[in-house]
């Protein structure tokens, strides 16, 4: 007797949880008609900064049905990476670097994608059809789809928030040609709260639900090439890879669920690493230290640039010799960052 689509969906969700996902919900590729207009406004405002690829294949990024016309359902999955301690504690240690929670363990792209593929194979075996899996590696509007599927809503910081999980979770997607029952979309529960906006060190939110990436510390430390404008680098503090301030400020985190994947646990050497130690890394040492980490993706030069900005913001004269040692760095952006840091730590005259 053929399995009903409703029964298949029930078993699919149970299998997703058994695989280690925190939640699974379904929608259709056509359930986000508002996205094209919103996305174009984001591009027109120039909020994407140097991320030129965001202006490419816009029809795919805004209309999932155009990405794969044969797809009938989208399975959106959440995987928790809730930190064991308050990530803001690292920001207070001025001689140490603050690394975003998601980057303190193994690269989530690899872990989530393997889990997605296992679930996709299960779905093919049980229900047939064709599938495609995505985890932040293709032009898929994951957050709007997740809201349409009922996983959560895009908060005023533009990240997804869940009443059951807070906002510490990764997203993955499985597109399938199977026509499975959809879930009800989630509605906004931010209310009058503005904590995430107030928490932003660089005022990167020009309005609720809008992000100017050009001012976002995650963008500045990871995506931005070349020197960062001085007024912004001063506000970066000791954040050397990403930023968790708006996420940490969200009151819905009181419902955050514990991370089930032990490989997301923070590596001890990445919780609050000494800035003086990181500034000494050459390319080989950088690659070795960050093997298997998403930090490796930005390269040594951009990373050491960030470290030197943090040294300049530390207010600790004892770090001046570290900056001085990088004045002749082969990378001109790193050398400029060293000069800036040294000038801030050395008394005039």
């Amino acid at each position: 007797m053929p399995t009903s689509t409703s029964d298949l969906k029930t078993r699919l969700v149970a299998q997703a949880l058994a695989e280690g996902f925190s939640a699974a919900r379904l929608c259709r590729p056509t359930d986000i008609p508002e996205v094209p207009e919103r996305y174009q406004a984001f591009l027109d405002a120039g909020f994407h900064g140097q991320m030129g690829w965001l202006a490419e294949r816009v029809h795919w990024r805004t209309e999932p049905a155009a990405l794969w016309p044969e797809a009938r359902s989208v399975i959106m999955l959440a995987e928790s990476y809730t930190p064991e301690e308050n990530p803001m504690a690292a920001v207070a240690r001025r001689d140490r670097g603050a690394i975003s929670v998601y980057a303190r363990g193994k690269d989530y792209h690899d872990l989530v994608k393997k889990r997605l593929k296992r679930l996709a194979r299960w779905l093919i075996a049980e229900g047939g059809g064709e599938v495609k899996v995505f985890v932040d590696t293709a032009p898929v509007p994951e957050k709007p789809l997740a809201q349409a599927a009922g996983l959560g809503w895009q908060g005023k910081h533009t990240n997804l928030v869940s009443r059951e999980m807070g906002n510490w979770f990764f997203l993955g997607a499985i597109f399938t040609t199977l026509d499975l029952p959809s879930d009800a979309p989630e509605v906004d529960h931010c209310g009058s709260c503005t904590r995430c906006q107030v928490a932003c060190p660089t005022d990167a939110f020009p309005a609720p639900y809008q992000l100017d990436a050009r001012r976002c510390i995650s963008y500045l430390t990871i995506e931005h090439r070349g020197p960062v404008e001085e007024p912004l680098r001063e506000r970066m503090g000791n954040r050397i890879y990403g930023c968790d301030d708006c996420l940490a400020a969200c009151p819905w985190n009181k419902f955050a669920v514990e991370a089930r994947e032990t490989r997301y646990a923070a590596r001890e050497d990445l919780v609050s690493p000494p800035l003086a130690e990181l500034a000494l890394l050459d390319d080989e040492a950088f690659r070795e230290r960050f093997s298997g980490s998403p930090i490796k993706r930005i390269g040594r030069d951009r990373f050491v640039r960030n470290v030197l900005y943090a040294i300049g913001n530390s207010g600790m004269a004892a770090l001046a010799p570290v900056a001085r040692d990088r004045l002749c760095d082969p990378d001109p952006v790193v050398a400029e960052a060293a000069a800036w840091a040294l000038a801030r730590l050395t008394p005039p005259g």
Side-chain angles (χ1 to χ4, degrees):
M1 181 176 180
T3 302
S4 70
T5 56
S6 178
D7 177 64
L8 179 59
K9 175 190 172 182
T10 299
R11 292 190 295 117
L12 170 66
V13 172
Q15 185 65 26
L17 298 180
E19 286 287 355
F21 288 107
S22 303
R25 302 284 190 278
L26 283 75
C27 66
R28 299 188 183 283
T30 54
D31 283 346
I32 51 173
E34 74 285 354
V35 169
E37 182 178 352
R38 279 175 21 197
Y39 191 81
Q40 192 58 52
F42 171 81
L43 294 176
D44 291 345
F47 288 166
H48 58 304
Q50 295 179 355
M51 297 182 290
W53 68 87
L54 292 180
E56 300 171 359
R57 300 178 178 178
V58 172
H59 62 301
W60 284 5
R61 297 184 185 281
T62 59
E63 300 179 50
L67 179 62
W68 190 25
E70 292 77 18
R72 293 294 174 265
S73 298
V74 180
I75 307 149
M76 292 302 305
L77 300 121
E79 184 161 337
S80 173
Y81 68 97
T82 304
E84 295 180 357
E85 60 182 34
N86 184 356
M88 299 310 296
V91 176
R93 306 181 69 180
R94 310 304 287 180
D95 63 330
R96 305 274 178 143
I99 293 173
S100 184
V101 168
Y102 83 87
R104 296 178 184 178
K106 288 287 187 180
D107 192 334
Y108 74 92
H109 294 88
D110 298 332
L111 299 178
V112 175
K113 193 158 193 177
K114 288 178 181 177
R115 213 182 305 280
L116 286 172
K117 287 183 175 180
R118 288 198 300 269
L119 184 60
R121 286 194 294 267
W122 179 93
L123 180 59
I124 292 173
E126 295 293 319
E130 298 179 57
V131 299
K132 293 182 186 291
V133 303
F134 304 101
V135 53
D136 196 27
T137 51
V140 176
E142 294 170 324
K143 289 183 283 189
L145 283 171
Q147 180 163 347
L151 273 183
W153 71 96
Q154 282 189 262
K156 293 179 181 178
H157 53 11
T158 75
N159 294 295
L160 208 71
V161 185
S162 164
R163 288 183 291 174
E164 291 81 30
M165 297 179 290
N167 58 195
W168 300 109
F169 56 93
F170 302 122
L171 291 173
I174 299 176
F175 282 45
T176 176
T177 55
L178 297 175
D179 195 352
L180 299 173
S182 296
D183 290 289
E186 180 60 286
V187 297
D188 191 312
H189 294 282
C190 285
S192 60
C193 179
T194 59
R195 292 186 195 179
C196 60
Q197 296 172 272
V198 173
C200 181
T202 52
D203 298 322
F205 302 110
Y209 312 103
Q210 293 183 20
L211 172 67
D212 184 348
R214 298 169 299 182
R215 300 186 64 85
C216 175
I217 293 176
S218 285
Y219 166 83
L220 293 172
T221 55
I222 299 172
E223 304 290 351
H224 182 80
R225 301 179 301 276
V228 173
E229 295 178 13
E230 290 194 18
L232 288 176
R233 67 176 75 168
E234 292 174 4
R235 296 192 186 188
M236 290 166 65
N238 66 336
R239 300 167 185 83
I240 57 175
Y241 188 92
C243 179
D244 291 321
D245 292 41
C246 65
L247 292 172
C250 181
W252 285 100
N253 285 328
K254 62 186 176 182
F255 299 113
V257 296
E258 182 178 352
R260 298 172 63 184
E261 174 56 74
T262 58
R263 285 171 289 185
Y264 292 143
R267 282 170 38 182
E268 188 175 344
D269 64 327
L270 295 185
V271 175
S272 290
L275 294 172
E277 183 180 296
L278 298 176
L280 299 177
L281 296 175
D282 59 17
D283 189 65
E284 182 179 357
F286 170 82
R287 290 175 178 275
E288 181 178 352
R289 178 155 187 167
F290 297 109
S291 176
S293 164
I295 297 174
K296 185 179 177 181
R297 296 168 184 260
I298 69 171
R300 176 265 179 189
D301 294 343
R302 197 173 303 177
F303 182 76
V304 174
R305 175 204 68 179
N306 299 339
V307 171
L308 288 165
Y309 290 159
I311 287 175
N313 289 328
S314 70
M316 305 182 71
L319 290 175
V322 180
R324 187 176 292 111
D325 287 344
R326 295 263 66 91
L327 289 175
C328 296
D329 193 273
D331 183 81
V333 177
V334 172
E336 187 274 336
W340 178 82
L342 186 62
R344 285 172 63 85
L345 297 178
T346 305

